[in-house]
C-alpha cells in the first residue's frame, strides 16, 4: 500500500466521522435560538418558557435517581412510529386540559433543571412523565390530599386500593419514626403498623412526583405530535 493510499484511508476512517458526528452537529447547534411561539400556528407570541424545575423539585429529582426509580419507570413519551405512548392519554398527557395542547411527545426541554434526565431503563412500571395528574386523580378518588396519597404510596404501595399485587418497592428509608409522645398530625402507617413521618427526601420526592406534568403547551416548531 502506498503512503498516499494509507493517508487517504486514515482521513476516510477518522476524518469523515469527526466531520459528521462532531464538527457538523456542533456548528449547527452552537447558536440555536430559543423556541418561540408563532402567532399563526400557536395563537400566541413570545418565548417558550419551560416549566420551572428548581428548588425542591430539583432535589426530588435527585432522590428519584438515588433510589433507583428510573430502573423501572421511564419518563419519555415516544413518537407513534416508535411505540403507542401517544394513544395512552394518561401517559402522554391530558386531553382537553387548560393547555389545549393535547398529549405530546417528550422533548429535551422536559428535563431542563434536572441534574440527570430520567428517561429510564425499563418500562417495568408505568411511564411517569405525567403521573402528577394521575396521583391527583387517585388522591381525589381516595378522598385524601395529593401529598398524603403519595406518602402512603411510597410507604405501602400494595395497601393502595386495588393494588395488592404491586411490585413497586416500598421506600421506608425516606421516612423516620414518629414521635411516640405528643401530637403527630402527619404520621403514616407502614405494613407492620409503625407510625412514620416523611423525611426531607420523601417531601422532595413527593413534590417532584406531583409536579410531573410534562404536557405543557409548546411551540408548533418543536411539537412533533401536533396531529
Ligand atoms: C422494581 C421496579 C420498580 C421500582 C424500582 C420502582 N417502581 Fe414504581 N411502580 C412499579 C410498578 C410495577 C408499578 C405499577 C403498579 C403500581 O401501581 O404500584 C409502579 C407504580 C408506581 C407509581 C404509580 C404510577 C401510576 O401510573 O399511577 C408511582 C407514582 C411510582 N411507581 C413511583 C415510584 C418511585 C418514586 C420509585 C422510586 C423510589 C419507584 N416507583 C420505583 C415498579 C417499580
Amino acid at each position: 500500500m502506498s503512503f498516499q493510499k494509507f493517508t487517504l484511508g486514515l482521513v476516510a476512517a477518522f476524518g469523515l466521522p469527526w466531520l459528521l458526528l462532531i464538527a457538523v452537529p456542533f456548528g449547527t447547534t452552537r447558536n440555536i435560538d430559543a423556541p418561540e411561539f408563532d402567532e399563526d400556528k400557536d395563537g400566541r407570541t413570545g418565548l417558550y418558557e419551560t416549566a420551572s424545575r428548581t428548588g425542591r423539585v430539583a432535589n426530588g429529582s435527585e432522590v428519584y435517581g438515588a433510589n433507583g426509580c428510573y430502573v423501572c419507570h421511564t419518563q419519555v413519551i415516544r413518537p407513534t412510529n416508535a411505540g403507542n405512548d401517544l394513544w395512552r392519554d394518561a401517559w402522554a398527557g391530558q386531553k382537553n386540559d387548560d393547555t389545549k395542547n393535547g398529549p405530546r411527545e417528550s422533548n429535551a426541554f422536559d428535563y431542563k433543571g434536572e441534574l440527570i434526565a430520567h428517561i429510564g431503563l425499563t418500562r417495568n412500571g408505568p411511564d411517569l412523565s405525567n403521573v402528577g395528574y394521575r396521583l391527583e386523580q387517585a388522591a381525589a378518588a381516595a378522598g385524601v390530599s395529593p401529598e398524603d396519597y403519595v406518602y402512603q404510596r411510597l410507604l405501602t404501595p400494595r395497601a393502595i386500593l386495588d393494588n395488592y399485587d404491586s411490585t413497586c418497592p416500598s421506600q421506608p428509608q425516606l421516612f423516620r419514626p414518629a414521635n411516640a409522645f405528643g401530637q403527630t398530625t402527619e404520621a403514616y402507617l407502614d405494613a407492620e403498623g409503625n407510625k412514620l413521618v416523611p423525611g426531607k427526601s420523601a417531601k422532595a420526592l413527593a413534590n417532584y412526583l406531583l409536579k410531573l406534568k410534562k404536557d405543557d403547551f409548546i411551540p408548533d416548531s418543536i411539537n412533533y405530535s401536533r396531529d
Side-chain angles (χ1 to χ4, degrees), residues 63-73 90-91 122-128 130-132 134-135 138 149-150 153-154 157-158 160 162-171 173-174 205-206 208-209 212:
V63 177
Y64 182 95
N67 287 279
C69 311
Y70 64 89
V71 177
C72 296
H73 292 285
W91 280 30
T122 66
R123 288 186 192 252
N124 189 334
D127 185 278
L128 298 185
N130 291 293
V131 78
R134 301 200 292 276
L135 291 171
Y149 182 82
V150 175
R153 210 193 186 287
L154 288 174
R158 290 189 184 191
I160 304 286
D162 287 339
N163 216 3
Y164 60 91
D165 56 355
S166 170
T167 49
C168 194
S170 166
Q171 309 289 334
Q173 76 282 7
L174 305 177
L205 182 60
Y208 174 70
L209 291 173
L212 279 178

